[in-house]
Amino acid sequence: MPLTAYYSAGTATLTNGSVNVTFQAPADMTTANVAPGDRIEADDGRTATLATVGPGPLVATLDKAFKGTTQAAQPYKIWRTFDAQYLMEGARNAMTLLGSGSIAALAALAGAANQGMYFTGPGVLAAFSLTAAGRVLLAGADVAAQRATLNAVNKAGDTMTGPLRNTGLPMCRVTRNNSAETFVVNTEYALLGSFNLNQGGFTAGAATAPAGSGNRLKVPVTGYYFIAMGIYTTVGGGGRLNVIVNGNPINVMAFGTSAVAGQKTYGFGVVLLNAGDELSYYCNIAGAQVFTASNHTDVTVIYLG
């Protein structure tokens, strides 16, 4: 079969002043591999450049309105653009891309497993750790999907299922671990003999008299604290037992009174404490005769924020 530099099967219709071209069978632009940029020659010799080919095998458009004489279903020729021209244009575009800062930054980036990349500035890329769990989160189609991945509550008013436990929230419950004691008026006493509960970093502070009776209680972080104390009275009389900060009897955090023998009274307070502040007992009204063993006289301290 002879080779030709053009394609001319069937006929073509071109209209003066229009960009539309239609072909008549057996013309088939698809199997002929006609492409934008090829030149079409009308029967009168006038030429034009194809802008699009298709959709379908019998339709094309010109890059400009046809200036030749209208022809209906007349012979034509399509002169193919040499592949070398396409290759040169593609090479030119590739060189332009390779010369951009973004491509150069990508080439300079040393990637590794489980890493992503991001721009830190124009034409500057950096890598970051991107774990499998992180990729699952990023794959969420929207915020709702990502929230479901995290098992997160949406906002105020939503329903939480299952327990919520903050194991890092500072809270403790302490006792002196003694038996019946008489606290002398205007005297500081240890708050901490032992912990019944401790999480979030409470520690023993300075030791207090009498020797061996225990220590002050040191708070771990700055913030508001809820303090609750319970006093189990062995002998009634109205003695008052305070919880004070840093040994200062004026800074009363909470207090309770030993009013009725055989009963437990309670005192509460919400106070602002600094990290490192130390809490202790202080008896300032009469002598308080109490039973300081566990579950009788104790203090609970909870960090509120």
Side-chain angles (χ1 to χ4, degrees):
M1 183 177 72
L3 299 176
T4 61
Y6 59 84
Y7 178 75
S8 60
T11 58
T13 297
L14 296 96
T15 304
N16 180 266
S18 173
V19 298
N20 296 316
V21 183
T22 57
F23 299 91
Q24 292 76 44
D28 189 331
M29 301 300 108
T30 303
T31 58
N33 294 320
V34 174
D38 290 347
R39 300 280 292 176
I40 183 169
E41 179 182 337
D43 194 36
D44 64 359
R46 177 78 69 156
T47 62
T49 302
L50 295 178
T52 65
V53 178
L58 301 176
V59 178
T61 63
L62 306 176
D63 65 343
K64 296 179 181 178
F66 184 57
K67 296 184 180 300
T69 303
T70 296
Q71 71 169 50
Q74 296 298 314
Y76 71 97
K77 294 176 182 176
I78 292 180
W79 297 88
R80 296 182 176 87
T81 301
F82 292 123
D83 289 343
Q85 291 180 264
Y86 288 116
L87 291 174
M88 288 296 293
E89 182 65 20
R92 187 179 300 112
N93 292 336
M95 290 300 294
T96 300
L97 290 174
L98 289 173
S100 71
S102 297
I103 298 296
L106 179 60
L109 190 65
N114 293 319
Q115 284 190 335
M117 62 182 180
Y118 65 101
F119 283 97
T120 61
V124 182
L125 282 171
F128 68 98
S129 176
L130 184 58
T131 64
R135 293 193 294 273
V136 171
L137 180 61
L138 292 175
D142 49 33
V143 174
Q146 292 176 332
R147 187 182 299 116
T149 299
L150 296 173
N151 293 320
V153 174
N154 185 5
K155 57 185 181 301
D158 281 1
T159 301
M160 180 183 297
T161 58
L164 175 63
R165 182 183 178 192
N166 185 347
T167 56
L169 179 71
M171 64 173 65
C172 71
R173 181 167 174 254
V174 297
T175 183
R176 284 173 57 85
N177 278 345
N178 296 324
S179 54
E181 295 187 79
T182 299
F183 289 156
V184 179
V185 68
N186 297 329
T187 304
E188 180 187 8
Y189 290 88
L191 190 72
L192 173 61
S194 65
F195 287 103
N196 294 67
L197 162 71
N198 184 20
Q199 72 172 31
F202 287 92
T203 57
T208 59
S213 65
N215 299 76
R216 293 175 178 173
L217 175 68
K218 183 180 293 186
V219 299
V221 295
T222 298
Y224 288 96
Y225 287 81
F226 172 75
I227 300 176
M229 64 180 298
I231 301 175
Y232 186 89
T233 303
T234 55
V235 177
R240 192 166 96 168
L241 193 60
N242 300 336
V243 174
I244 63 173
V245 61
N246 298 329
N248 188 343
I250 298 177
N251 294 333
V252 178
M253 306 294 104
F255 69 89
T257 58
S258 56
V260 181
Q263 292 187 2
K264 192 170 184 177
T265 58
Y266 297 90
F268 307 94
V270 175
V271 295
L272 176 62
L273 298 174
N274 296 312
D277 280 349
E278 296 183 346
L279 304 178
S280 57
Y281 286 124
Y282 189 82
C283 182
N284 74 332
I285 298 179
Q289 299 186 44
V290 297
F291 191 74
T292 59
S294 179
N295 298 321
H296 287 77
T297 297
D298 48 36
V299 174
T300 300
V301 183
I302 302 175
Y303 175 75
L304 300 178

